[in-house]
Amino acid sequence: MKPNHLIEYYVGIDIGGTNTKIGIVDNHCNILIEHSIKTLSSQGAKQTFSRIWQTVQDMAKTQNIATDQLIGIGLGIPGLVVNQAIISRASNFSWGDNFNAKQLMEEISHKFVKVEKDVNNIALGELLFGSGQGFNNIIVISIGTGLSAGIIIDQKILSGVNGCAGEFGHIVVNENGLKCGCGLTGCLETYASATGILRETKRLILEKQTGILSKHFYHHLSDLEVHHIFDFYNKNDDIAIEVIEKFCKYLAYGLGILLNTIDPELVIFAGGVSKSADLIIQKVKTYLSRYALSASLANIQMKPGQLLDSAGIKGAASLIINDYRI
Amino acid sequence: MKPNHLIEYYVGIDIGGTNTKIGIVDNHCNILIEHSIKTLSSQGAKQTFSRIWQTVQDMAKTQNIATDQLIGIGLGIPGLVVNQAIISRASNFSWGDNFNAKQLMEEISHKFVKVEKDVNNIALGELLFGSGQGFNNIIVISIGTGLSAGIIIDQKILSGVNGCAGEFGHIVVNENGLKCGCGLTGCLETYASATGILRETKRLILEKQTGILSKHFYHHLSDLEVHHIFDFYNKNDDIAIEVIEKFCKYLAYGLGILLNTIDPELVIFAGGVSKSADLIIQKVKTYLSRYALSASLANIQMKPGQLLDSAGIKGAASLIINDYRI
């Protein structure tokens, strides 16, 4: 066994629009310490990155970890990343297009840094340390405010030339639909996302005013959260059933296209809605045969993610750990 | 320069439902000799493969090429191929599911053999010897009786775990549409393929009976070929315009999804319809901004294929040449 001061650690950072999660992990991706700070991106990238690095150093100190023992830093961001370095577009931040996040963080920390889209990190994390262990070709579906996929081919992240790979939430399903934040109209994620589920449920509550979900939330619409809808689905509420069925049908449509074009071994459901992954998987399966070739469905496996709330940190750290795997 | 009897050659074989094209090429994929024979697959795979190998030997002899100089055989088939060996499903042949084509051809020829879906071979061929030279991540769209894509990521074919990768012709675009040969309903390729173009044109000729295309073909519908429709498009025929515009819109829909999920550098148009690739590219571009993220479109290049009628042979041969590239 190595003496303590020679053990190597990795930093995983999940930068969100509001909060940034920071973790220090060992080479098995066990989190030794984690911390959440405000991102405050409007102060500028240099400010934010410096504050993050200061936090990492403080965290390391509490664990008696020397800075030298930190091998590298993985960054995850909700935006398009090119060459695991350049944030080409990230609507949550005002850091400009084609911002070299790797370079800035390396200048500040003097550590090796890699940057990826958050869902891609989660996919790598699930592959190495979660539900994807033992697989080579997986897709991780992240359902949250949006809908996107992290694609792993031959154990490698498919980022895409412009960082757009896996953006299946922007399959246009209704040309007369809602304007999407991406600039397109009627994107899949306007239906198949936490945001989409909430919007549709609120609409139906106001329109139908029937059932127990309506009764609970008609006068408190702003209190409605996605987990309530899944709860009331299990209580056979008509509105909840209508919303969840439609959501799963749309999700199956998008997933069917991914199966026909990428043809992986395993699909993992992650993100905020993944707490209901078992139900979603069961429902999605019933619709998938309409949209996916029978050959691509024949051996497909579907699982909930294992990394759950740690997925962001563990995924980001995986970016670095992966380079040091034997 | 090597003495003639030491120069190495490669065999490319494109097995179609009716005809099989066979070529012997050098290491630059120049075709020394090519030949077409009937596939006659109903005689059984062993018969067909033996006849093919006999033809290869005869062809080699006419070129004074010794069998020892043939390094390997690449096979392309219109069906799903797993591990560059097993034809898991190929509706044109009665060889059964999960048929090990690599093994049989190796037993017959005593040569190294690789098998792939034909469009994947074409993609590799275009990458190494055609319009894709100098690129790493490309998609080759093949528009013929069906619609499919060969996907190359980091210079490697993406076959998919079940051989289904690139089957974007089976994106369901109309759940109330035509039954597709794949078992699904309303697949993109029922609209965006040579077959789809012809069907739609004939329907409109019978329905509208107007314009010069109608005049020419109303009483000779069975003489109508896809190139006529493109010809009459250029003559401003209303039916031809309607059909081609709709075709390009559907194609853009599917391609937009590929750009959002794979995000390549280059899209190449191959297959029977590729003679009209310039027009198709121009039209598809006008529709793409409705379906693809602006970031995935920003730097995308689109080109006609260069291998044309030799794509099947050269693509198949590329499978082997690629293993021997420095």
Side-chain angles (χ1 to χ4, degrees), chain B residues 41-45 90-97:
Chain B
S41 66
S42 60
Q43 296 178 355
S91 52
N92 292 307
F93 311 122
S94 50
W95 301 336
D97 287 351

Side-chain angles (χ1 to χ4, degrees), chain A residues 80 88-89 137 151 153-154 156 158-168 170-173 175 182 184-185 249 253 257-265 288-300, chain B residues 80 88-89 137 151 153-154 156 158-168 170-173 175 182 184-185 249 253 257-265 288-300:
Chain A
L80 305 180
S88 68
R89 213 168 290 191
N137 299 282
I151 299 171
I153 294 170
D154 287 342
K156 282 176 59 182
L158 177 68
S159 306
V161 172
N162 305 289
C164 293
E167 290 293 341
F168 86 121
H170 301 287
I171 294 172
V172 173
V173 292
E175 289 196 56
C182 73
L184 299 173
T185 298
K249 184 164 183 271
Y253 180 73
I257 291 174
L258 288 183
L259 297 189
N260 289 352
T261 50
I262 312 285
D263 190 15
E265 305 161 85
L288 256 182
S289 58
R290 298 189 197 178
Y291 306 123
L293 293 169
S294 57
S296 71
L297 277 178
N299 307 303
I300 192 73
Chain B
L80 305 180
S88 69
R89 214 169 289 192
N137 298 282
I151 300 171
I153 294 170
D154 286 342
K156 282 177 60 182
L158 176 68
S159 306
V161 173
N162 306 287
C164 293
E167 290 293 340
F168 86 122
H170 301 287
I171 294 172
V172 173
V173 292
E175 287 195 56
C182 73
L184 298 174
T185 298
K249 184 165 182 272
Y253 181 73
I257 291 174
L258 288 182
L259 298 188
N260 289 353
T261 49
I262 312 284
D263 190 15
E265 305 162 85
L288 256 182
S289 58
R290 296 188 198 180
Y291 305 123
L293 292 169
S294 57
S296 72
L297 278 177
N299 307 303
I300 193 74

Side-chain angles (χ1 to χ4, degrees), chain A residues 31-324:
Chain A
I31 297 179
L32 276 79
I33 179 171
E34 63 177 293
H35 208 75
S36 179
I37 63 174
K38 293 285 167 203
T39 304
L40 303 174
S41 67
S42 60
Q43 295 179 354
K46 199 168 176 183
Q47 271 278 8
T48 297
F49 282 28
S50 298
R51 234 170 353 95
I52 290 172
W53 176 237
Q54 188 56 55
T55 307
V56 172
Q57 288 172 296
D58 295 345
M59 288 163 65
K61 202 172 277 177
T62 68
Q63 304 296 305
N64 288 319
I65 295 171
T67 315
D68 283 353
Q69 288 174 273
L70 301 175
I71 300 304
I73 300 172
L75 282 185
I77 64 112
L80 305 180
V81 179
V82 175
N83 288 334
Q84 301 198 319
I86 317 282
I87 302 177
S88 68
R89 213 168 290 191
S91 52
N92 293 308
F93 311 123
S94 51
W95 301 334
D97 288 351
N98 299 313
F99 157 63
N100 195 327
K102 173 187 166 75
Q103 190 180 16
L104 179 62
M105 196 48 145
E106 286 186 341
E107 281 169 9
I108 290 171
S109 66
H110 303 286
K111 293 291 171 189
F112 175 63
V113 175
K114 277 187 161 184
V115 190
E116 253 302 346
K117 184 159 59 177
D118 45 14
V119 65
N120 293 347
N121 285 344
I122 294 172
L124 186 63
E126 290 286 354
L127 180 85
L128 300 183
F129 303 107
S131 300
Q133 290 174 80
F135 292 83
N136 294 310
N137 299 282
I138 70 171
I139 290 179
V140 173
I141 306 284
S142 177
I143 309 163
T145 45
L147 176 70
S148 59
I151 299 171
I152 303 279
I153 294 170
D154 287 342
Q155 301 213 344
K156 282 176 59 182
I157 293 172
L158 177 68
S159 306
V161 172
N162 305 289
C164 293
E167 290 293 341
F168 86 121
H170 301 287
I171 294 172
V172 173
V173 292
N174 179 3
E175 289 196 56
N176 303 311
L178 290 171
K179 190 91 182 162
C180 179
C182 73
L184 299 173
T185 298
C187 290
L188 182 60
E189 77 169 32
T190 62
Y191 300 91
S193 64
T195 323
I197 293 175
L198 278 174
R199 186 195 310 107
E200 183 65 2
T201 307
K202 289 176 182 175
R203 191 184 67 75
L204 286 172
I205 287 175
L206 293 175
E207 184 187 301
K208 299 198 168 180
Q209 304 180 27
T210 57
I212 43 176
L213 189 66
S214 266
K215 204 172 154 194
H216 269 77
F217 289 101
Y218 186 82
H219 294 291
H220 315 277
L221 273 186
S222 60
D223 293 341
L224 183 70
E225 293 182 21
V226 170
H227 70 89
H228 296 128
I229 304 165
F230 281 94
D231 291 346
F232 281 86
Y233 177 93
N234 291 323
K235 292 175 186 160
N236 276 318
D237 177 77
D238 281 345
I239 289 178
I241 290 173
E242 182 176 339
V243 169
I244 300 296
E245 290 287 343
K246 197 170 166 189
F247 161 72
C248 289
K249 184 164 183 271
Y250 272 114
L251 193 56
Y253 180 73
L255 181 55
I257 291 174
L258 288 183
L259 297 189
N260 289 352
T261 50
I262 312 285
D263 190 15
E265 305 161 85
L266 169 68
V267 177
I268 295 172
F269 290 79
V273 180
S274 64
K275 279 147 200 148
S276 307
D278 287 330
L279 173 65
I280 293 172
I281 290 171
Q282 181 204 324
K283 286 277 141 209
V284 162
K285 274 186 180 167
T286 65
Y287 290 110
L288 256 182
S289 58
R290 298 189 197 178
Y291 306 123
L293 293 169
S294 57
S296 71
L297 277 178
N299 307 303
I300 192 73
Q301 296 187 49
M302 297 195 209
K303 296 182 184 181
Q306 276 178 17
L307 304 187
L308 304 172
D309 292 338
S310 306
I313 286 175
K314 290 191 172 183
S318 299
L319 271 183
I320 309 296
I321 298 176
N322 192 37
D323 285 356
Y324 289 84

